[in-house]
């Protein structure tokens, strides 16, 4: 009986742990759109960064387009000891949204590379409770 109860608890813990970060991202508590540094006309890549008004995190990177695909790469760091994690959210025009891994606790820096179909329509830095 005890073994069955322990196995049930472990199975539940694995199921909870298995939820994707994208599914949990729906509970994001803060969001800020990034600022794009426009490249030369016809350039394949543009740099972007989170706004200076965001005090809880920082993200910096590049969006590059190649044919029908776009790649967003860079890093995100947690700047606040608030018990929340910081990540980058990208909405690709054709293939939909993707999230970077989470950066937490304070001072943690995560590098990421996300590739999707179509332009990266929206890039934002977000945070979510750890």
């Amino acid at each position: 009986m005890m073994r069955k109860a322990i196995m049930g608890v472990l199975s539940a813990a694995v199921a909870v742990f298995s939820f994707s970060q994208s599914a949990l991202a729906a509970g994001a508590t803060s969001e800020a759109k990034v600022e794009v540094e426009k490249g030369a006309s016809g350039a394949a890549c543009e740099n972007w960064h989170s706004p200076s008004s965001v005090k809880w995190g920082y993200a910096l990177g590049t969006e590059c387009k190649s044919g029908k695909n776009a790649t967003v790469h860079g890093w995100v760091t947690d700047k606040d000891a608030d018990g929340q994690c910081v990540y980058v959210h990208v909405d690709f025009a054709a293939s939909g949204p993707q999230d970077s891994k989470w950066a937490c606790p304070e001072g943690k820096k995560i590098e990421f590379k996300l590739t999707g179909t179509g332009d990266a329509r929206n890039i934002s830095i977000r945070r979510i409770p750890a």
Side-chain angles (χ1 to χ4, degrees), residues 20-23 25 69-73 87-102 112-126:
S20 71
Q21 289 182 351
S22 295
N69 296 325
T71 299
V72 176
H73 58 90
Y87 64 99
V88 170
H89 175 82
V90 180
D91 187 13
F92 291 99
S95 59
Q98 291 186 39
D99 295 330
S100 71
K101 291 184 178 180
W102 298 351
F112 65 90
K113 181 177 180 179
L114 305 171
T115 300
T117 307
D119 292 345
R121 295 186 301 186
N122 296 305
I123 303 173
S124 58
I125 182 173
R126 296 180 176 186

